[in-house]
Amino acid sequence: HRAFDLSVLPSLSEGSPNSVLEAMAGARPVVATDVGGVRELIREGETGWITKVGDDAALAAAILEAYRDRARAASVGREARAFVHLHRRAECVRDDLISMYADIASRVELR
């Protein structure tokens, strides 16, 4: 992602796309369609831009916005990196999984 000025994910369907996380971790701004877990990763205008699936004009406008305002795009990239560092690094994911499994285990009746 270091070679990119901007990462674009114009998908019709996704789960939680690693390419978005990788771009964000590399401090690259992201423009993505609102599919799968993208909205959990991108805060509109803060850590990237989200467009409606199939709205090519909105996708193009978001891409142009990032290219025309390089300072803002760089700021969005830095915010994206900070988000990944705070919420998606391995330790955070591990802690979230442990918490989720502990919660499930506390609700399961042992026989």
Side-chain angles (χ1 to χ4, degrees):
H1 289 279
R2 289 182 186 201
F4 301 160
D5 292 324
L6 174 70
S7 182
V8 179
L9 183 83
S11 293
L12 300 176
S13 176
E14 289 282 344
S16 185
N18 283 333
S19 64
V20 169
L21 279 173
E22 291 165 357
M24 292 173 73
R28 297 300 179 257
V30 177
V31 173
T33 50
D34 192 5
V35 292
V38 167
R39 193 163 290 279
E40 295 172 14
L41 304 175
I42 296 177
R43 292 187 315 257
E44 177 61 33
E46 294 178 36
T47 61
W49 293 269
I50 300 174
T51 65
K52 185 178 173 186
V53 173
D55 189 345
D56 298 337
L59 184 69
I63 293 168
L64 285 173
E65 181 180 341
Y67 272 111
R68 287 182 177 147
D69 190 345
R70 299 290 180 115
R72 181 162 184 242
S75 175
V76 166
R78 287 189 300 274
E79 287 296 319
R81 175 185 276 172
F83 173 86
V84 170
H85 181 74
L86 286 172
H87 302 289
R88 297 294 179 177
R89 67 179 197 268
E91 296 84 1
C92 294
V93 172
R94 178 203 62 212
D95 292 347
D96 288 348
L97 283 171
I98 289 170
S99 177
M100 179 184 71
Y101 286 130
D103 180 55
I104 291 168
S106 72
R107 292 185 275 141
V108 172
E109 182 178 320
L110 297 175
R111 295 174 191 227

